[in-house]
PDB file of all heavy atoms in Angstrom:
ATOM      1  N   VAL Q 163     -42.098 187.837 -12.864  1.00 98.00           N
ATOM      2  CA  VAL Q 163     -42.045 186.363 -12.836  1.00 98.00           C
ATOM      3  C   VAL Q 163     -40.844 185.721 -13.409  1.00 98.00           C
ATOM      4  O   VAL Q 163     -40.225 184.858 -12.884  1.00 98.00           O
ATOM      5  CB  VAL Q 163     -43.412 185.760 -13.415  1.00 98.00           C
ATOM      6  CG1 VAL Q 163     -43.233 184.258 -13.703  1.00 98.00           C
ATOM      7  CG2 VAL Q 163     -44.634 186.153 -12.613  1.00 98.00           C
ATOM      8  N   MET Q 164     -40.488 186.309 -14.661  1.00 98.00           N
ATOM      9  CA  MET Q 164     -39.314 185.770 -15.243  1.00 98.00           C
ATOM     10  C   MET Q 164     -38.048 186.012 -14.467  1.00 98.00           C
ATOM     11  O   MET Q 164     -37.047 185.114 -14.481  1.00 98.00           O
ATOM     12  CB  MET Q 164     -39.201 186.367 -16.672  1.00 98.00           C
ATOM     13  CG  MET Q 164     -40.336 185.795 -17.616  1.00 98.00           C
ATOM     14  SD  MET Q 164     -40.133 186.366 -19.335  1.00 98.00           S
ATOM     15  CE  MET Q 164     -40.368 188.041 -19.305  1.00 98.00           C
ATOM     16  N   GLU Q 165     -37.950 187.175 -13.768  1.00 97.00           N
ATOM     17  CA  GLU Q 165     -36.748 187.425 -12.980  1.00 97.00           C
ATOM     18  C   GLU Q 165     -36.760 186.332 -11.841  1.00 97.00           C
ATOM     19  O   GLU Q 165     -35.646 185.779 -11.489  1.00 97.00           O
ATOM     20  CB  GLU Q 165     -36.886 188.899 -12.416  1.00 97.00           C
ATOM     21  CG  GLU Q 165     -36.699 189.891 -13.468  1.00 97.00           C
ATOM     22  CD  GLU Q 165     -35.249 190.140 -13.795  1.00 97.00           C
ATOM     23  OE1 GLU Q 165     -34.385 189.625 -13.197  1.00 97.00           O
ATOM     24  OE2 GLU Q 165     -35.036 190.950 -14.745  1.00 97.00           O
ATOM     25  N   TYR Q 166     -37.874 186.159 -11.097  1.00 98.00           N
ATOM     26  CA  TYR Q 166     -37.857 185.241 -10.023  1.00 98.00           C
ATOM     27  C   TYR Q 166     -37.505 183.877 -10.422  1.00 98.00           C
ATOM     28  O   TYR Q 166     -36.914 183.055  -9.774  1.00 98.00           O
ATOM     29  CB  TYR Q 166     -39.229 185.337  -9.276  1.00 98.00           C
ATOM     30  CG  TYR Q 166     -39.533 186.599  -8.629  1.00 98.00           C
ATOM     31  CD1 TYR Q 166     -40.869 187.131  -8.713  1.00 98.00           C
ATOM     32  CD2 TYR Q 166     -38.622 187.235  -7.883  1.00 98.00           C
ATOM     33  CE1 TYR Q 166     -41.133 188.370  -8.149  1.00 98.00           C
ATOM     34  CE2 TYR Q 166     -38.830 188.463  -7.193  1.00 98.00           C
ATOM     35  CZ  TYR Q 166     -40.180 189.022  -7.401  1.00 98.00           C
ATOM     36  OH  TYR Q 166     -40.434 190.244  -6.762  1.00 98.00           O
ATOM     37  N   ALA Q 167     -38.071 183.434 -11.580  1.00 98.00           N
ATOM     38  CA  ALA Q 167     -37.887 182.090 -12.057  1.00 98.00           C
ATOM     39  C   ALA Q 167     -36.465 181.878 -12.462  1.00 98.00           C
ATOM     40  O   ALA Q 167     -35.820 180.868 -12.128  1.00 98.00           O
ATOM     41  CB  ALA Q 167     -38.706 181.824 -13.330  1.00 98.00           C
ATOM     42  N   ARG Q 168     -35.825 182.846 -13.044  1.00 98.00           N
ATOM     43  CA  ARG Q 168     -34.353 182.758 -13.438  1.00 98.00           C
ATOM     44  C   ARG Q 168     -33.509 182.564 -12.294  1.00 98.00           C
ATOM     45  O   ARG Q 168     -32.606 181.789 -12.248  1.00 98.00           O
ATOM     46  CB  ARG Q 168     -33.851 183.989 -14.237  1.00 98.00           C
ATOM     47  CG  ARG Q 168     -32.537 183.912 -14.804  1.00 98.00           C
ATOM     48  CD  ARG Q 168     -32.066 185.224 -15.392  1.00 98.00           C
ATOM     49  NE  ARG Q 168     -31.939 186.287 -14.357  1.00 98.00           N
ATOM     50  CZ  ARG Q 168     -32.354 187.501 -14.443  1.00 98.00           C
ATOM     51  NH1 ARG Q 168     -32.886 187.924 -15.591  1.00 98.00           N
ATOM     52  NH2 ARG Q 168     -32.209 188.398 -13.529  1.00 98.00           N
ATOM     53  N   GLU Q 169     -33.800 183.340 -11.141  1.00 97.00           N
ATOM     54  CA  GLU Q 169     -32.987 183.180  -9.920  1.00 97.00           C
ATOM     55  C   GLU Q 169     -33.530 182.161  -8.970  1.00 97.00           C
ATOM     56  O   GLU Q 169     -32.931 182.088  -7.867  1.00 97.00           O
ATOM     57  CB  GLU Q 169     -33.049 184.705  -9.278  1.00 97.00           C
ATOM     58  CG  GLU Q 169     -32.446 185.747 -10.160  1.00 97.00           C
ATOM     59  CD  GLU Q 169     -32.695 187.126  -9.642  1.00 97.00           C
ATOM     60  OE1 GLU Q 169     -33.193 187.226  -8.609  1.00 97.00           O
ATOM     61  OE2 GLU Q 169     -32.438 188.065 -10.348  1.00 97.00           O
ATOM     62  N   ASN Q 170     -34.545 181.490  -9.360  1.00 97.00           N
ATOM     63  CA  ASN Q 170     -35.113 180.288  -8.580  1.00 97.00           C
ATOM     64  C   ASN Q 170     -35.533 180.824  -7.146  1.00 97.00           C
ATOM     65  O   ASN Q 170     -35.451 180.170  -6.145  1.00 97.00           O
ATOM     66  CB  ASN Q 170     -34.066 179.173  -8.386  1.00 97.00           C
ATOM     67  CG  ASN Q 170     -34.735 177.937  -7.980  1.00 97.00           C
ATOM     68  OD1 ASN Q 170     -35.943 177.711  -8.321  1.00 97.00           O
ATOM     69  ND2 ASN Q 170     -34.006 177.144  -7.212  1.00 97.00           N
ATOM     70  N   ARG Q 171     -36.068 181.961  -7.198  1.00 98.00           N
ATOM     71  CA  ARG Q 171     -36.636 182.598  -5.864  1.00 98.00           C
ATOM     72  C   ARG Q 171     -38.095 182.236  -5.734  1.00 98.00           C
ATOM     73  O   ARG Q 171     -39.020 183.030  -5.983  1.00 98.00           O
ATOM     74  CB  ARG Q 171     -36.466 184.113  -5.913  1.00 98.00           C
ATOM     75  CG  ARG Q 171     -35.007 184.482  -5.842  1.00 98.00           C
ATOM     76  CD  ARG Q 171     -34.812 186.007  -6.391  1.00 98.00           C
ATOM     77  NE  ARG Q 171     -35.562 186.861  -5.426  1.00 98.00           N
ATOM     78  CZ  ARG Q 171     -35.658 188.219  -5.652  1.00 98.00           C
ATOM     79  NH1 ARG Q 171     -35.131 188.776  -6.745  1.00 98.00           N
ATOM     80  NH2 ARG Q 171     -36.385 188.950  -4.839  1.00 98.00           N
ATOM     81  N   ILE Q 172     -38.392 180.948  -5.393  1.00 98.00           N
ATOM     82  CA  ILE Q 172     -39.645 180.433  -5.372  1.00 98.00           C
ATOM     83  C   ILE Q 172     -40.541 181.067  -4.295  1.00 98.00           C
ATOM     84  O   ILE Q 172     -41.776 181.398  -4.526  1.00 98.00           O
ATOM     85  CB  ILE Q 172     -39.687 178.946  -5.279  1.00 98.00           C
ATOM     86  CG1 ILE Q 172     -38.847 178.297  -6.243  1.00 98.00           C
ATOM     87  CG2 ILE Q 172     -41.085 178.354  -5.323  1.00 98.00           C
ATOM     88  CD1 ILE Q 172     -39.185 178.541  -7.719  1.00 98.00           C
ATOM     89  N   GLU Q 173     -40.026 181.300  -3.164  1.00 97.00           N
ATOM     90  CA  GLU Q 173     -40.830 181.858  -1.998  1.00 97.00           C
ATOM     91  C   GLU Q 173     -41.280 183.291  -2.489  1.00 97.00           C
ATOM     92  O   GLU Q 173     -42.404 183.722  -2.145  1.00 97.00           O
ATOM     93  CB  GLU Q 173     -40.079 181.841  -0.750  1.00 97.00           C
ATOM     94  CG  GLU Q 173     -40.976 182.234   0.468  1.00 97.00           C
ATOM     95  CD  GLU Q 173     -40.434 181.924   1.719  1.00 97.00           C
ATOM     96  OE1 GLU Q 173     -39.574 180.952   1.918  1.00 97.00           O
ATOM     97  OE2 GLU Q 173     -40.747 182.510   2.777  1.00 97.00           O
ATOM     98  N   ASP Q 174     -40.292 184.084  -3.041  1.00 98.00           N
ATOM     99  CA  ASP Q 174     -40.634 185.450  -3.375  1.00 98.00           C
ATOM    100  C   ASP Q 174     -41.660 185.408  -4.611  1.00 98.00           C
ATOM    101  O   ASP Q 174     -42.635 186.227  -4.702  1.00 98.00           O
ATOM    102  CB  ASP Q 174     -39.407 186.148  -4.013  1.00 98.00           C
ATOM    103  CG  ASP Q 174     -38.387 186.533  -2.845  1.00 98.00           C
ATOM    104  OD1 ASP Q 174     -38.964 186.457  -1.656  1.00 98.00           O
ATOM    105  OD2 ASP Q 174     -37.266 186.836  -3.085  1.00 98.00           O
ATOM    106  N   LEU Q 175     -41.508 184.478  -5.481  1.00 98.00           N
ATOM    107  CA  LEU Q 175     -42.563 184.231  -6.567  1.00 98.00           C
ATOM    108  C   LEU Q 175     -43.882 183.902  -5.999  1.00 98.00           C
ATOM    109  O   LEU Q 175     -45.004 184.475  -6.419  1.00 98.00           O
ATOM    110  CB  LEU Q 175     -42.120 183.229  -7.547  1.00 98.00           C
ATOM    111  CG  LEU Q 175     -43.024 182.826  -8.771  1.00 98.00           C
ATOM    112  CD1 LEU Q 175     -43.378 184.040  -9.517  1.00 98.00           C
ATOM    113  CD2 LEU Q 175     -42.440 181.745  -9.586  1.00 98.00           C
ATOM    114  N   ALA Q 176     -43.891 183.037  -4.987  1.00 98.00           N
ATOM    115  CA  ALA Q 176     -45.233 182.791  -4.283  1.00 98.00           C
ATOM    116  C   ALA Q 176     -45.842 183.970  -3.708  1.00 98.00           C
ATOM    117  O   ALA Q 176     -47.064 184.153  -3.811  1.00 98.00           O
ATOM    118  CB  ALA Q 176     -45.070 181.643  -3.307  1.00 98.00           C
TER     119      ALA Q 176
END
Side-chain angles (χ1 to χ4, degrees):
V163 169
M164 290 190 289
E165 294 280 357
Y166 294 137
R168 185 189 65 220
E169 297 167 9
N170 200 32
R171 295 165 57 187
I172 305 302
E173 187 165 336
D174 286 346
L175 177 56

